[in-house]
Amino acid sequence: MCTYNTETLELTGSAKGATGWFRATNASVYFDHPVHHPAGHALMIDVLNPERGASARVGLELDADSARALAEAILRTLASVPAQLIEH
Amino acid sequence: MTSDLHAYTTEISGFAGDPIEVYTAIPDGATFGSVAVIHHMPGFDEQTKEIVRKFAAHGYGAAMANLYSREAPGASPDDAAAAARARGGVPDERLVGDVAAVAGFLRSQGGSNGKVGVIGYCSGGRQSVLAACSLDLDAAVDCYGAFVVVDPPSDHPLSTVSALTPILGNLSCPLLGLFGADDQYPSVEQTETLRALLTEHAKEFEFHTFEGAGHAFFAVERPSYRPEVAVAGWNLIWDFFGRHLS
């Protein structure tokens, strides 16, 4: 099925896509049919800069276990960093 | 039947007069019925263009709009799909306008017999039913379209999709439904609900639910592909369009 539901968020950072580095301003997260990963469904992450056009994108297609492991690794990494190093 | 064909990409005016990209394939030297192909959510991709050419090889004029033309002109299909998704997807009203434009484009071709059917896969399956309930068409095929009789299990504000139950009585043409028994969206229960509603509305339809298949059994590049079911499904499509578009 196409799930349609999509989480979107704004973010600050950089990403390296098919044409090189770009400022990342937005992301979409959803669980749907992948383009490349050989499975019926995958957890999809698009890191985007819509102002730079549709090709300013880094796409990830992960199976559910991998997506959870990645999310937990991100949170563990951030939790282990001294608070004074984290800029807001 | 295998026809020589001419395939090309062009631009037509879609919903609200917007320029939209269209991929079309026309059989050589014959009078033909036509098929408007609706791509799946991953976009205006190589696999769906192959389906357009397959229809032309079987003697049908075929064309498919790039439903993401507005969000991402010229982008690769996966980038365009991501851009469209981030903006909330394809509104139903816009889809209907774009399919109407494709149908008009096909009817205007020199060899057209004036008849146009519509077919869609996955999200396009629902959109095929939507188009057939909104436009005057001659035949429609729904390949495992979800959310025809139930709303998506999400009230996310970006979701533009809802059940088509309120408009099923407007179905303008015969409907062929091809479904997998192992699919959950649409589930067998949901397709049986659709069957009951179409019967109630006295609409002409035929449904086939294949054992051993789930969702996307036509998709040759995906693990969901079921060769025997896909062959059987294509034969049902040739029979159905042969009866209604000739």
Side-chain angles (χ1 to χ4, degrees):
Chain A
M1 64 175 278
C2 295
T3 58
Y4 295 98
N5 51 322
T6 306
E7 292 278 346
T8 61
L9 62 150
E10 293 183 354
L11 47 74
T12 300
S14 291
K16 191 172 184 180
T19 57
W21 285 96
F22 62 90
R23 296 287 180 203
T25 60
N26 297 77
S28 304
V29 180
Y30 47 100
F31 193 77
D32 215 324
H33 304 311
V35 172
H36 186 269
H37 179 59
H41 296 84
L43 189 286
M44 320 276 274
I45 302 171
D46 295 320
V47 178
L48 308 162
N49 183 335
E51 289 188 1
R52 292 277 302 272
S55 60
R57 181 177 81 102
V58 171
L60 279 178
E61 300 178 338
L62 303 168
D63 69 32
D65 289 344
S66 301
R68 284 197 182 90
L70 177 64
E72 288 163 2
I74 291 171
L75 294 176
R76 272 198 312 274
T77 302
L78 288 171
S80 69
V81 173
Q84 60 269 31
L85 293 184
I86 296 182
E87 301 170 11
H88 292 284
Chain B
M1 177 176 182
T2 302
S3 301
D4 290 338
L5 58 90
H6 177 54
Y8 60 100
T9 302
T10 189
E11 187 177 282
I12 67 172
S13 292
F15 175 72
D18 296 339
I20 56 170
E21 189 179 22
V22 168
Y23 183 74
T24 188
I26 302 296
D28 291 342
T31 300
F32 51 80
S34 297
V35 180
V37 177
I38 302 175
H39 64 66
H40 57 171
M41 199 176 279
F44 190 68
D45 59 7
E46 180 182 331
Q47 292 78 17
T48 322
K49 288 179 178 178
E50 188 172 323
I51 288 171
V52 172
R53 291 192 299 273
K54 188 178 183 79
F55 279 112
H58 280 255
Y60 295 92
M64 168 177 67
N66 181 353
L67 301 177
Y68 308 146
S69 290
R70 297 164 182 83
E71 288 85 2
S76 63
D78 55 341
D79 288 344
R85 188 173 195 116
R87 295 191 195 181
V90 176
D92 281 354
E93 182 184 26
R94 196 177 91 182
L95 178 281
V96 170
D98 285 355
V99 174
V102 168
F105 169 76
L106 287 165
R107 289 192 188 101
S108 75
Q109 301 300 307
S112 169
N113 67 3
K115 294 186 177 180
V116 178
V118 63
I119 187 169
Y121 303 80
C122 193
S123 58
R126 174 185 173 278
Q127 291 168 325
S128 180
V129 178
L130 168 66
C133 291
S134 309
L135 303 169
D136 187 14
L137 298 172
D138 298 290
V141 182
D142 167 11
C143 300
Y144 35 79
F147 310 125
V148 174
V149 296
V150 295
D151 290 329
S154 166
D155 56 359
H156 193 281
L158 283 177
S159 178
T160 59
V161 168
S162 59
L164 302 176
T165 310
I167 63 170
L168 287 175
N170 301 332
L171 184 66
S172 66
C173 58
L175 174 68
L176 172 65
L178 301 175
F179 310 112
D182 299 334
D183 202 345
Q184 296 304 306
Y185 292 95
S187 65
V188 171
E189 182 184 7
Q190 289 166 13
T191 57
E192 286 304 307
T193 299
L194 179 57
R195 179 194 298 277
L197 289 168
L198 292 174
T199 302
E200 192 176 303
H201 289 299
K203 298 299 181 183
E204 182 179 351
F205 68 96
E206 59 178 89
F207 286 180
H208 300 266
T209 299
F210 297 99
E211 297 296 330
H215 197 74
F217 53 77
F218 278 116
V220 295
E221 82 288 5
R222 294 176 183 272
S224 55
Y225 181 49
R226 295 292 178 273
E228 292 182 6
V229 173
V231 169
W234 275 114
N235 286 334
L236 289 165
I237 291 168
W238 303 134
D239 173 69
F240 181 74
F241 278 158
R243 283 183 280 125
H244 297 293
L245 298 182
S246 59

